Amino acid sequence: MAAMVLIGLRFLLFPPVEKVQVPAGVAVFAMVNLVFLFISGIVSYSVVLRRRASDEASTLLEERNRSLEKLLATEWRLQLILDGAKIGTWERELESGALTASPDVERHFESLGVGFPAHFDGLLALIHPIDRARFEAALGDTLERPEEGFELEVRLCPREGVVAWLDFRGKLWRDREGAPRRIMGTLMETTARHQAEERLRASEGRFRSMV
């Protein structure tokens, strides 16, 4: 069979100068086998490519899983630090004004008798009027100088007779095209420190009055 294929291919691909009569059966047989060999080669090459693609996909998937595990571990360590320091996180969407916060921040607002506002205007309404303008100005400065960020303590007045001090910190976040999208930061209650400072000032005032 191989000999017949070779003979047929010899006359098909390299015809002799002198006219030689090639049996029609040999020529057809050689042509059919040539087509078969060509198709077999394509199929074999396709199998190799699929196997190579599958191996590359498996490698990429393993690398992706390792990267995801490292990211989750980093996020977990960061959350442990935030929990230990009693610091929460918050975000403000610049286009819509929507607000989101970490669960501990939401629980803290609930302990003050209000829910965490879903919109930036709702947060402004809770901030003491004296501090409100400073807070808006700090956010405006962050948009103009995004590399600096901001840090500001404000008084929250959720209801009459209740005042809570909050330390807001934030920086501007941009998308991959460089457009400003949101302000992200941390939030920590500092009411206890301010109350301690007030007690200390009152004690010093009483001491000076006695001298």
Side-chain angles (χ1 to χ4, degrees):
M1 174 178 172
M4 295 178 67
V5 172
L6 293 175
I7 292 171
L9 291 177
R10 166 69 178 80
F11 285 102
L12 286 172
L13 299 177
F14 307 100
V17 176
E18 298 179 358
K19 186 174 182 180
V20 179
Q21 185 67 31
V22 179
V26 173
V28 172
F29 183 77
M31 182 60 69
V32 171
N33 279 275
L34 179 62
V35 173
F36 175 76
L37 291 174
F38 180 72
I39 295 176
S40 297
I42 293 177
V43 172
S44 299
Y45 185 64
S46 176
V47 170
V48 171
L49 289 180
R50 286 199 299 268
R51 186 175 300 168
R52 184 179 301 172
S54 178
D55 293 341
E56 292 177 354
S58 298
T59 301
L60 290 175
L61 182 60
E62 291 176 0
E63 293 178 354
R64 176 184 174 277
N65 289 337
R66 286 195 294 268
S67 299
L68 182 59
E69 289 178 359
K70 291 181 181 179
L71 178 60
L72 292 175
T74 301
E75 291 181 351
W76 177 250
R77 287 191 289 269
L78 177 60
Q79 189 59 50
L80 288 177
I81 295 173
L82 293 176
D83 291 343
K86 295 183 179 180
I87 299 175
T89 59
W90 66 281
E91 296 183 16
R92 174 199 172 188
E93 295 285 345
L94 294 178
E95 184 175 355
S96 64
L99 287 180
T100 56
S102 55
D104 47 346
V105 172
E106 294 180 349
R107 287 193 295 269
H108 177 64
F109 272 72
E110 291 173 358
S111 69
L112 296 175
V114 293
F116 185 78
H119 195 273
F120 183 67
D121 291 341
L123 177 62
L124 289 178
L126 294 175
I127 295 177
H128 193 286
I130 297 177
D131 300 332
R132 192 178 301 155
R134 294 191 301 115
F135 186 66
E136 291 184 283
L139 294 179
D141 291 341
T142 300
L143 295 177
E144 296 179 3
R145 298 187 295 273
E147 67 281 354
E148 297 182 6
F150 78 94
E151 177 183 350
L152 184 67
E153 281 188 293
V154 300
R155 285 164 291 183
L156 202 71
C157 304
R159 60 182 186 275
E160 186 176 355
V162 177
V163 177
W165 283 90
L166 298 178
D167 182 290
F168 278 91
R169 304 186 185 195
K171 294 197 70 174
L172 182 67
W173 182 86
R174 299 177 182 272
D175 60 19
R176 63 181 62 186
E177 284 77 25
R181 292 299 182 187
R182 60 175 65 95
I183 294 178
M184 307 170 64
T186 60
L187 189 152
M188 178 175 63
E189 184 182 10
T190 56
T191 304
R193 176 172 61 81
H194 281 276
Q195 290 175 343
E197 291 173 352
E198 290 178 2
R199 288 194 296 269
L200 179 60
R201 285 193 295 269
S203 177
E204 290 175 345
R206 289 194 297 269
F207 177 78
R208 284 192 296 268
S209 66
M210 295 173 59
V211 176

